[in-house]
Amino acid sequence: MTLQALEPAARRAVLGAMLLVQAVGCVPDLPPASRLDDSPQVLALRAEPSTAAPGQEVRLDSLVYWPGAGPEYLWLVCVPGVTDTIDSCVSRRLGGGDLLVPRCQDEPTASLCYASRDATAVYRVPASIPTDDEGAALVYVELVVADDVDSEQCVRAYRDEAPSERCLVALKRVHVTASGAPSTPALLQLQVDGTWADASQVMSLPSPGGDGEPLEVSLAAAVDPQSVDLLLGAAEGETAALGLAWYSDCGELEPDTGSVTCTAGPDPGEPPACEVAETTWTLETSGDCVVYVVLRDGRGGVDWLS
C-alpha cells in the first residue's frame, strides 16, 4: 500500500504513571485475563468527542501496552457505504492490490484516508457526510500498531483482516449526528491503599513480610459524576452501569465486576451518585509495575487512568 506524503512513523509509548513495587516472590504460572504478559495489546481506543457533528474535529488516542521499544502507529479512517461493516470497511477499499491512500487533511472527503502516523490523531468529519433519515452517520477508525506498520507482513495483516501479535488492528466507531454530543464519562483519580494518586505520580509500596507472603494492595477508581449524562432527567433511583476493566503488567487482580453503577438522585438537575470501583491487587514480584483502569459507557465514550 502507498501512503501519500509519507511521514516518519512515531515510536512513542503511551504515557502512564508507574507504581514502584518492592515485593519478592515468583510470578504465578497462570496469570488471569487482566494480567498483561509479554504480548502487546491495545487496551482501549478513545475518540473525543465520541459523537461528533458534521464538520467537527475528533481527537483520537489509544491505550497501548507494548513491551520493549515503542511501536509505530497508523490511523486509518473509513466513511462507510451502505454495505460496509466496521470489520471490513478498510479492507474492502484496500482490495488485493496497491492503493493510494491520501492523508485525511489533504482529501477531507475521501472515503478512506489516514489521519496520522503518530500516537495520536485529529480527524475532521466531512461536512457533507451522508446521513440517514434521522441525520445520523458512522465513521470507522482503524488503528494499526506494529513494530513496522509499512512492512509487507503488516500491510497484509490489516488488508486481509488477519492481525498478528506484532501487528495489531483495533477498531472504533465514531457516531456522527447534528443533535449534539453526549458527554464522555471521566475517571477522576486512582486510589492505592487508601491514598489518592495523581495520574503522573510514582508510588512506592512496602515489601511483604519475611515469610514471603504476597502483598495485597487495594485499588479504587472514582468516576466524575458531573461527566455522567446517561441519567439526565431520570427518575430518582434509576441506575446506569458503566463498563470497567482493570489491567496490570504484574501481580493478579480480582476478577472484574465488569461495571460501576451510578444512581440518579431526587433532583433531575443534580449529578448522579456513582460508586467507587474497587479491586484487590496481589503482588508476588518486585520491580516496576503499571496498573490501568478503563471506563466505557457503552455509547463509544472511553476514559482511562494509569
Side-chain angles (χ1 to χ4, degrees), residues 72-266:
E72 297 180 354
Y73 297 81
L74 176 62
W75 295 90
L76 295 165
V77 181
C78 184
V79 178
V82 176
T83 60
D84 287 309
T85 68
I86 188 171
D87 300 298
S88 63
C89 192
V90 169
S91 60
R92 284 183 183 180
R93 281 161 175 75
L94 291 177
D98 199 37
L99 178 69
L100 196 65
V101 178
R103 290 192 308 177
C104 299
Q105 67 185 68
D106 294 336
E107 295 191 24
T109 60
S111 60
L112 177 63
C113 59
Y114 77 97
S116 174
R117 294 174 61 97
D118 293 331
T120 61
V122 175
Y123 171 72
R124 184 178 295 277
V125 177
S128 58
I129 188 171
T131 58
D132 61 19
D133 294 340
E134 297 179 354
L138 286 173
V139 171
Y140 296 145
V141 175
E142 188 164 295
L143 172 63
V144 184
V145 189
D147 293 319
D148 181 1
V149 297
D150 296 311
S151 67
E152 181 180 348
Q153 179 184 12
C154 192
V155 172
R156 187 168 57 249
Y158 59 83
R159 185 189 62 201
D160 300 340
E161 303 176 60
S164 62
E165 182 177 285
R166 306 302 297 186
C167 184
L168 305 182
V169 178
L171 306 174
K172 177 76 174 177
R173 290 181 178 89
V174 177
H175 298 266
V176 180
T177 176
S179 61
S183 65
T184 298
L187 288 162
L188 284 174
Q189 283 182 302
L190 178 65
Q191 188 186 82
V192 183
D193 268 351
T195 300
W196 290 105
D198 294 330
S200 59
Q201 188 171 351
V202 178
M203 303 187 70
S204 181
L205 301 177
S207 300
D211 55 3
E213 287 295 316
L215 177 68
E216 289 192 351
V217 180
S218 64
L219 300 175
V223 177
D224 180 2
Q226 298 281 355
S227 68
V228 180
D229 66 0
L230 291 166
L231 297 172
L232 285 180
E236 180 179 2
E238 188 172 337
T239 62
L242 307 177
L244 194 83
W246 296 88
Y247 304 92
S248 176
D249 62 354
C250 67
E252 294 185 10
L253 290 157
E254 284 183 328
D256 289 337
T257 58
S259 64
V260 57
T261 300
C262 296
T263 305

